[in-house]
Amino acid sequence: SSVRDNTYKIKKAELSGLRAEFGVLSRTEEILKSRDANVQDLLSYMEEKKGVSGYRSTQTTLEKVSTMKSEIDEKKEHTLQDMSKAVEQLKKTIEEKKMTLAPLIRDVRPLRQQHQ
């Protein structure tokens, strides 16, 4: 029973330490969030003061658009590769059909000329 009591005390102390750490981390998060808001306000003020109001939001939008364009370009590339494969397969199939039909066409030409 003393081993169990000892284990309980150790785990209780660990839990207490984790709760304290959680409290510190939560407070740190609150402080950082409030500082972020202050920094955002300061940046907005400085943008307005320098005559470039909205620069950050425009920059963010441009980054999003650039990312979307990259994704679309990648999809286009895959589509073009798929289309190229399909064209090559069609060329191959046509060539095979030509090879199959060539002897038949050679046999039919003289017969056609005889019946004209």
Side-chain angles (χ1 to χ4, degrees):
S1 179
S2 74
V3 172
R4 204 166 79 189
D5 289 342
N6 199 21
T7 303
Y8 174 77
K9 287 178 184 177
I10 292 171
K11 296 298 179 184
K12 187 174 180 182
E14 286 178 16
L15 182 59
S16 178
L18 290 173
R19 284 182 176 150
E21 186 176 349
F22 177 75
V24 169
L25 291 173
S26 294
R27 180 66 184 132
T28 303
E29 180 186 27
E30 289 174 20
I31 292 169
L32 290 174
K33 283 182 177 178
S34 71
R35 284 187 181 171
D36 180 56
N38 292 341
V39 169
Q40 297 302 324
D41 290 344
L42 177 62
L43 285 172
S44 294
Y45 170 75
M46 291 178 75
E47 284 178 359
E48 192 174 316
K49 187 175 176 182
K50 297 291 181 182
V52 289
S53 187
Y55 173 80
R56 282 178 299 115
S57 64
T58 302
Q59 182 67 28
T60 302
T61 303
L62 284 172
E63 289 170 4
K64 287 179 186 176
V65 168
S66 178
T67 301
M68 289 170 49
K69 182 186 179 308
S70 295
E71 291 170 1
I72 290 170
D73 287 347
E74 191 173 319
K75 287 179 183 177
K76 278 188 197 176
E77 182 179 339
H78 288 294
T79 301
L80 288 172
Q81 288 173 353
D82 292 344
M83 291 174 81
S84 292
K85 286 178 187 175
V87 167
E88 288 303 316
Q89 185 61 41
L90 283 171
K91 284 181 179 178
K92 182 179 174 185
T93 303
I94 290 170
E95 196 57 40
E96 289 171 356
K97 296 293 179 186
K98 280 183 180 179
M99 298 295 279
T100 304
L101 292 174
L104 296 174
I105 292 172
R106 260 186 268 120
D107 293 344
V108 169
R109 275 192 189 133
L111 295 173
R112 188 184 302 155
Q113 288 175 354
Q114 285 177 3
H115 294 297
Q116 282 182 351

